[in-house]
Amino acid sequence: MADRTESSLVIDAAPGAVLDVIADFPSYPKWATEVKRVSVLSEEGDGWADQVEFTLDAGVIKDTYTLDYAWEVTAGGTGVVSWSLIKATVLKAMNGSYTLAQEGTGTRVTYRLAVDLNIPMLGLLKRRAEKVIVDTALKELKKRVEG
């Protein structure tokens, strides 16, 4: 699963504000159109979600899956939020990250995602599905934070 999709944009808000939206998993269905349901299954002692279950409908990729999160972020909100797949039905692997960096008065958010499926799919179609997920997630995150 060496191939991955990556994209970034600048959000007109401080990194901490962006991180707050990323960490607010129960609100995802309100702004992330492909995410239909979210449940935080466990949290670390510091209050960050550790394991989160999602129900996703992203066109060719539909599944209910659980991700394990790692929070390597500063108090100001810069750093990396990464995740890896624990269990799923259609997905075989899903590894990704948001990297948040201060850029002027805003935040550069870079989203990296690699997905592998249990069903046969041409690599080109898989990359296209990843690109749609990444680009849509970044645009919706920007809209949610700035809105």
Side-chain angles (χ1 to χ4, degrees):
M1 197 179 77
D3 292 336
R4 71 173 185 199
T5 301
E6 178 178 323
S7 189
S8 67
L9 56 66
V10 175
I11 295 177
D12 188 21
V18 177
L19 184 63
D20 286 347
V21 172
I22 291 170
D24 184 11
F25 292 106
S27 293
Y28 275 39
K30 295 176 186 172
W31 62 270
T33 55
E34 288 95 4
V35 177
K36 303 306 175 193
R37 190 178 57 79
V38 179
S39 298
V40 175
L41 303 178
S42 65
E43 292 184 352
E44 295 180 5
D46 58 7
W48 296 112
D50 186 36
Q51 293 187 2
V52 182
E53 182 182 78
F54 294 84
T55 298
L56 177 78
D57 184 350
V60 296
I61 302 174
K62 297 177 181 166
D63 203 358
T64 296
Y65 57 91
T66 303
L67 298 178
D68 183 58
Y69 279 83
W71 302 84
E72 299 171 21
V73 293
T74 67
T78 58
V80 179
V81 178
S82 59
W83 57 89
S84 59
L85 185 69
I86 296 174
K87 69 176 183 174
T89 304
V90 175
L91 295 167
K92 186 188 311 184
M94 177 185 252
N95 299 313
S97 66
Y98 282 113
T99 301
L100 285 69
Q102 185 81 46
E103 186 164 310
T105 59
T107 305
R108 174 159 298 277
V109 181
T110 302
Y111 187 0
R112 295 174 181 90
L113 183 67
V115 173
D116 201 4
L117 304 173
N118 283 319
I119 57 174
M121 180 181 282
L122 293 174
L124 176 66
L125 292 176
K126 189 167 38 171
R127 294 289 90 73
R128 187 174 293 146
E130 284 177 358
K131 180 153 181 52
V132 167
I133 292 168
V134 167
D135 289 347
T136 301
L138 282 172
K139 288 175 189 168
E140 291 177 343
L141 176 64
K142 180 178 175 73
K143 184 178 176 182
R144 176 73 173 191
V145 173
E146 292 179 353

